[in-house]
Amino acid sequence: MLYLKYELLNMSSPEKLSSILDLCIDIDRTAIAIYNSLFDYAENEALRGFWGKMVTEGQSRLEYWERLKTLPEFKELPDAFEDPDSVIHELGKRANQIQALQQQWEKDKTVSSAFVIAYRLESYKLHPAMRTLFQYFRPITDGVVPQESKELDETNISTFVDALRKYGKA
């Protein structure tokens, strides 16, 4: 499914923020599905543990995005972004790229492919809008943010490279 569903021109600020969160939710749901598939494919217990950790981290982020939409203050917040339309467009593009990774995995299920896909997935998830949202919502979530931070995302990317060297045949 391509993300072209947002009619931006007549949307209010809360509607645009809601659309941005919907895209974050879609991105993390797809990421979780990919990591679950990598987990299911892995024969090595260490790899299964590695992919299982990625599933848990993704679920933490997904729960965070979903919780934000239920907060009473959500509909009263001012714009978080100077140009929310471009953020929606950029996140939609990332969502499409992540869906393409899911399709790529279905066509090429190898250990090496798993790590390349995971590396790209984490790179796509490093969108600055998500970092902005973590900071923007910090005051109304009592400082609670997902366990996954920018540093952890970047650590995940390094970990993928190390794990590929250990388990894969690049």
Side-chain angles (χ1 to χ4, degrees), residues 7 31 84 105 112:
E7 183 62 43
W105 169 247
S112 295

Side-chain angles (χ1 to χ4, degrees), residues 22-165:
D22 287 342
L23 284 163
C24 292
I25 288 167
D26 289 344
I27 285 168
D28 281 318
R29 278 190 183 139
T30 305
I32 291 167
I34 291 170
Y35 286 129
N36 270 321
S37 183
L38 298 177
F39 174 86
D40 292 342
Y41 173 80
E43 294 176 5
N44 177 307
E45 275 307 307
L47 274 176
R48 289 177 65 80
F50 180 77
W51 298 128
K53 175 182 170 274
M54 299 309 300
V55 169
T56 301
E57 289 175 8
Q59 288 170 334
S60 172
R61 254 172 71 147
L62 177 61
E63 290 167 6
Y64 176 79
W65 300 132
E66 290 173 337
R67 180 175 167 251
L68 291 177
K69 291 189 75 168
T70 67
L71 296 174
E73 303 92 335
F74 180 77
K75 292 186 175 158
E76 299 168 11
L77 292 170
D79 284 332
F81 301 98
E82 189 173 315
D83 186 1
D85 294 352
S86 71
V87 172
I88 290 169
H89 175 75
E90 290 169 21
L91 287 174
K93 185 176 176 183
R94 295 282 175 107
N96 290 336
Q97 291 170 316
I98 291 171
Q99 283 186 344
L101 291 176
Q102 189 173 28
Q103 293 166 0
Q104 180 182 343
W105 169 247
E106 291 305 318
K107 292 177 184 173
D108 182 22
K109 290 187 176 185
T110 63
V111 173
S112 295
S113 176
F115 282 102
V116 169
I117 286 168
Y119 178 89
R120 289 181 184 152
L121 174 58
E122 290 300 310
S123 295
Y124 294 154
K125 286 173 47 185
L126 281 172
H127 193 281
M130 292 181 177
R131 304 292 152 232
T132 298
L133 290 172
F134 293 151
Q135 296 304 314
Y136 185 72
F137 285 111
R138 188 179 294 264
I140 64 171
T141 61
D142 298 323
V144 175
V145 295
Q147 103 188 56
E148 194 170 295
S149 66
K150 181 177 182 187
E151 293 77 28
L152 186 52
D153 285 340
E154 290 170 353
T155 300
N156 285 346
I157 290 172
S158 296
T159 302
F160 293 144
V161 172
D162 294 340
L164 177 58
R165 286 185 188 129

Side-chain angles (χ1 to χ4, degrees), residues 1-5 92 95-97 99 103:
M1 161 162 67
L2 293 177
Y3 290 89
L4 303 173
K5 64 183 179 181
N96 290 336
Q97 291 170 316
Q99 283 186 344
Q103 293 166 0

